[in-house]
Amino acid sequence: MTRRKLRPEEEDLWRKVADKTDRLHPEKPFHPDDFVTTPPPAPRSRPMFEVAPARSTARTSGAKTSVNLTPSIVDQVAAQPVQMDRKAFARMKRGKLQPEGKLDLHGLTTDRAHPALTRFIMSAHGQGKRLVLVVTGKGKHRDDDGPIPVRFGVLRHQVPQWLSMPPLSSVVLQVTQANVRHGGGGAYYVYLRRQR
Protein backbone atom coordinates (compact mmCIF):
# COMPACT_ATOMS: atom_id res chain seq x y z
CA MET A 1 0.00 0.00 0.00
CA THR A 2 1.45 3.37 -0.99
CA ARG A 3 1.38 6.28 1.39
CA ARG A 4 -0.56 9.33 0.27
CA LYS A 5 1.34 12.59 0.35
CA LEU A 6 -0.21 15.72 1.79
CA ARG A 7 -1.92 18.00 -0.71
CA PRO A 8 -0.59 21.59 -0.95
CA GLU A 9 -3.62 22.98 0.92
CA GLU A 10 -3.14 20.40 3.69
CA GLU A 11 0.54 21.27 3.95
CA ASP A 12 -0.33 25.02 4.15
CA LEU A 13 -2.83 24.33 6.92
CA TRP A 14 -0.24 22.26 8.77
CA ARG A 15 2.33 25.05 8.52
CA LYS A 16 -0.19 27.63 9.84
CA VAL A 17 -0.91 25.44 12.85
CA ALA A 18 2.78 24.65 13.37
CA ASP A 19 3.69 28.37 13.30
CA LYS A 20 1.35 29.03 16.25
CA THR A 21 2.70 26.24 18.44
CA ASP A 22 5.89 25.56 20.33
CA ARG A 23 7.81 22.62 18.97
CA LEU A 24 8.56 19.77 21.36
CA HIS A 25 11.72 18.86 19.47
CA PRO A 26 13.09 22.02 17.80
CA GLU A 27 16.20 20.19 16.64
CA LYS A 28 14.15 17.89 14.38
CA PRO A 29 13.28 19.45 10.98
CA PHE A 30 9.70 19.40 9.73
CA HIS A 31 8.78 17.15 6.85
CA PRO A 32 5.08 16.55 5.96
CA ASP A 33 5.65 12.92 4.98
CA ASP A 34 6.64 12.14 8.56
CA PHE A 35 3.03 12.66 9.59
CA VAL A 36 1.29 10.32 7.13
CA THR A 37 -0.27 7.42 8.96
CA THR A 38 -0.31 3.85 7.71
CA PRO A 39 -2.99 1.32 8.59
CA PRO A 40 -2.18 -1.15 11.39
CA PRO A 41 -0.97 -4.58 10.26
CA ALA A 42 -3.54 -7.35 9.96
CA PRO A 43 -3.67 -9.80 12.89
CA ARG A 44 -1.68 -12.98 12.36
CA SER A 45 -4.15 -15.48 13.73
CA ARG A 46 -7.88 -15.12 13.57
CA PRO A 47 -10.53 -16.90 15.63
CA MET A 48 -12.90 -19.24 13.83
CA PHE A 49 -15.80 -16.79 14.15
CA GLU A 50 -15.38 -13.08 14.72
CA VAL A 51 -17.15 -9.76 14.58
CA ALA A 52 -15.24 -6.84 13.07
CA PRO A 53 -16.30 -3.20 13.05
CA ALA A 54 -17.76 -1.89 9.82
CA ARG A 55 -16.19 1.19 8.27
CA SER A 56 -18.05 3.97 6.53
CA THR A 57 -18.56 3.69 2.79
CA ALA A 58 -19.49 7.35 2.34
CA ARG A 59 -17.23 9.47 0.17
CA THR A 60 -16.59 12.91 1.52
CA SER A 61 -14.53 15.56 -0.20
CA GLY A 62 -13.07 13.02 -2.63
CA ALA A 63 -11.51 10.85 0.10
CA LYS A 64 -11.51 7.15 -0.67
CA THR A 65 -12.62 4.72 2.01
CA SER A 66 -12.76 0.96 2.07
CA VAL A 67 -15.49 -1.30 3.32
CA ASN A 68 -14.71 -4.10 5.77
CA LEU A 69 -17.99 -5.86 6.49
CA THR A 70 -17.83 -9.03 8.51
CA PRO A 71 -19.98 -11.80 7.03
CA SER A 72 -23.05 -12.84 8.99
CA ILE A 73 -22.65 -15.70 11.44
CA VAL A 74 -24.56 -17.95 9.01
CA ASP A 75 -22.05 -17.15 6.26
CA GLN A 76 -19.08 -17.65 8.61
CA VAL A 77 -20.38 -21.07 9.70
CA ALA A 78 -21.11 -22.06 6.09
CA ALA A 79 -17.62 -20.98 5.00
CA GLN A 80 -15.85 -23.33 7.42
CA PRO A 81 -14.00 -26.17 5.67
CA VAL A 82 -15.57 -29.62 5.86
CA GLN A 83 -13.65 -31.62 8.49
CA MET A 84 -15.90 -34.68 8.54
CA ASP A 85 -16.70 -37.29 5.89
CA ARG A 86 -18.11 -35.39 2.89
CA LYS A 87 -20.91 -37.89 2.20
CA ALA A 88 -22.04 -37.76 5.82
CA PHE A 89 -21.78 -33.96 5.72
CA ALA A 90 -24.01 -33.78 2.63
CA ARG A 91 -26.58 -36.09 4.25
CA MET A 92 -26.48 -34.03 7.44
CA LYS A 93 -27.03 -30.75 5.54
CA ARG A 94 -30.06 -32.29 3.79
CA GLY A 95 -31.51 -33.32 7.17
CA LYS A 96 -31.08 -37.04 6.43
CA LEU A 97 -28.98 -37.76 9.54
CA GLN A 98 -30.98 -37.96 12.76
CA PRO A 99 -29.42 -36.11 15.71
CA GLU A 100 -28.69 -38.38 18.68
CA GLY A 101 -29.32 -35.63 21.21
CA LYS A 102 -30.88 -32.19 21.42
CA LEU A 103 -30.26 -29.16 23.63
CA ASP A 104 -32.76 -26.29 23.58
CA LEU A 105 -31.14 -23.03 24.73
CA HIS A 106 -34.06 -20.97 23.51
CA GLY A 107 -34.89 -18.26 26.04
CA LEU A 108 -31.82 -18.74 28.26
CA THR A 109 -29.42 -15.95 29.12
CA THR A 110 -25.80 -16.29 28.04
CA ASP A 111 -24.60 -16.92 31.61
CA ARG A 112 -26.94 -19.92 31.86
CA ALA A 113 -26.61 -21.10 28.26
CA HIS A 114 -22.81 -21.40 28.16
CA PRO A 115 -22.47 -23.90 31.06
CA ALA A 116 -25.51 -25.82 29.79
CA LEU A 117 -23.93 -26.10 26.33
CA THR A 118 -20.59 -27.21 27.79
CA ARG A 119 -22.23 -29.91 29.96
CA PHE A 120 -24.38 -31.16 27.06
CA ILE A 121 -21.55 -31.38 24.50
CA MET A 122 -19.06 -33.01 26.89
CA SER A 123 -21.71 -35.48 28.09
CA ALA A 124 -22.76 -36.36 24.52
CA HIS A 125 -19.13 -36.93 23.55
CA GLY A 126 -18.60 -39.07 26.66
CA GLN A 127 -21.59 -41.21 25.62
CA GLY A 128 -20.09 -41.74 22.15
CA LYS A 129 -22.70 -39.66 20.30
CA ARG A 130 -21.61 -38.17 16.99
CA LEU A 131 -24.39 -35.78 15.89
CA VAL A 132 -26.30 -33.50 18.26
CA LEU A 133 -28.63 -30.58 17.69
CA VAL A 134 -28.31 -27.28 19.56
CA VAL A 135 -31.37 -25.03 19.31
CA THR A 136 -30.68 -21.34 19.87
CA GLY A 137 -33.74 -19.69 18.34
CA LYS A 138 -33.42 -17.01 15.68
CA GLY A 139 -33.71 -14.10 18.10
CA LYS A 140 -36.28 -11.35 18.33
CA HIS A 141 -36.25 -7.97 16.63
CA ARG A 142 -36.48 -5.30 19.28
CA ASP A 143 -37.41 -1.67 18.82
CA ASP A 144 -34.23 0.31 19.18
CA ASP A 145 -33.98 3.96 18.29
CA GLY A 146 -30.32 4.28 19.28
CA PRO A 147 -27.53 5.24 16.89
CA ILE A 148 -25.72 1.91 17.29
CA PRO A 149 -27.38 -1.15 15.73
CA VAL A 150 -28.17 -3.92 18.21
CA ARG A 151 -27.59 -7.53 17.20
CA PHE A 152 -30.52 -9.83 17.75
CA GLY A 153 -30.17 -13.54 18.35
CA VAL A 154 -27.35 -13.35 20.88
CA LEU A 155 -27.19 -17.12 21.43
CA ARG A 156 -27.35 -17.77 17.71
CA HIS A 157 -24.15 -15.73 17.34
CA GLN A 158 -22.49 -16.88 20.56
CA VAL A 159 -22.89 -20.68 20.29
CA PRO A 160 -20.52 -21.15 17.30
CA GLN A 161 -17.89 -19.08 19.13
CA TRP A 162 -18.25 -21.16 22.29
CA LEU A 163 -18.00 -24.37 20.27
CA SER A 164 -14.74 -23.16 18.69
CA MET A 165 -13.06 -22.46 22.06
CA PRO A 166 -11.61 -24.87 24.64
CA PRO A 167 -12.74 -27.18 26.11
CA LEU A 168 -15.43 -27.77 23.46
CA SER A 169 -13.12 -27.30 20.47
CA SER A 170 -11.31 -30.51 21.47
CA VAL A 171 -14.43 -32.64 20.93
CA VAL A 172 -16.26 -30.70 18.15
CA LEU A 173 -15.42 -31.68 14.58
CA GLN A 174 -17.99 -29.66 12.60
CA VAL A 175 -20.62 -26.99 13.22
CA THR A 176 -23.20 -26.12 10.60
CA GLN A 177 -26.66 -24.59 10.40
CA ALA A 178 -29.41 -27.16 10.79
CA ASN A 179 -31.73 -28.20 8.01
CA VAL A 180 -35.18 -26.60 8.14
CA ARG A 181 -36.70 -29.88 9.39
CA HIS A 182 -34.49 -29.61 12.49
CA GLY A 183 -34.85 -25.87 13.15
CA GLY A 184 -33.13 -24.14 10.22
CA GLY A 185 -31.54 -20.80 11.11
CA GLY A 186 -32.42 -21.19 14.78
CA ALA A 187 -30.40 -24.38 15.32
CA TYR A 188 -26.97 -25.89 14.69
CA TYR A 189 -25.82 -29.40 13.93
CA VAL A 190 -22.75 -30.19 16.01
CA TYR A 191 -20.78 -33.21 14.77
CA LEU A 192 -18.51 -34.62 17.46
CA ARG A 193 -15.16 -36.35 17.19
CA ARG A 194 -14.83 -40.05 17.91
CA GLN A 195 -13.82 -40.99 21.42
CA ARG A 196 -10.16 -41.91 21.75
Side-chain angles (χ1 to χ4, degrees), residues 30-47:
F30 165 76
H31 193 276
D33 289 341
D34 292 342
F35 299 95
V36 176
T37 59
T38 57
R44 292 180 185 255
S45 63
R46 302 175 70 179

Side-chain angles (χ1 to χ4, degrees), residues 98-160:
Q98 192 62 34
E100 301 170 74
K102 176 181 175 182
L103 173 66
D104 192 346
L105 299 174
H106 199 237
L108 294 182
T109 59
T110 54
D111 59 335
R112 291 184 60 208
H114 193 186
L117 177 69
T118 303
R119 278 192 307 272
F120 173 73
I121 295 295
M122 297 308 276
S123 172
H125 182 258
Q127 296 167 12
K129 294 179 180 176
R130 295 303 305 277
L131 177 63
V132 294
L133 183 70
V134 177
V135 178
T136 61
K138 293 183 180 179
K140 295 180 181 176
H141 286 284
R142 291 182 172 84
D143 293 334
D144 182 32
D145 297 331
I148 300 172
V150 176
R151 171 173 284 134
F152 67 95
V154 173
L155 290 179
R156 182 171 165 236
H157 288 80
Q158 205 65 49
V159 163

Side-chain angles (χ1 to χ4, degrees), residues 58-131:
R59 290 187 177 216
T60 57
S61 68
K64 294 181 181 178
T65 58
S66 62
V67 178
N68 181 14
L69 297 177
T70 299
S72 70
I73 195 68
V74 173
D75 294 337
Q76 288 184 53
V77 170
Q80 292 304 305
V82 177
Q83 302 289 332
M84 57 187 282
D85 178 69
R86 290 193 176 274
K87 287 182 182 178
F89 180 76
R91 291 183 63 223
M92 180 177 71
K93 289 287 288 175
R94 290 194 312 267
K96 301 293 184 185
L97 290 181
Q98 192 62 34
E100 301 170 74
K102 176 181 175 182
L103 173 66
D104 192 346
L105 299 174
H106 199 237
L108 294 182
T109 59
T110 54
D111 59 335
R112 291 184 60 208
H114 193 186
L117 177 69
T118 303
R119 278 192 307 272
F120 173 73
I121 295 295
M122 297 308 276
S123 172
H125 182 258
Q127 296 167 12
K129 294 179 180 176
R130 295 303 305 277
L131 177 63

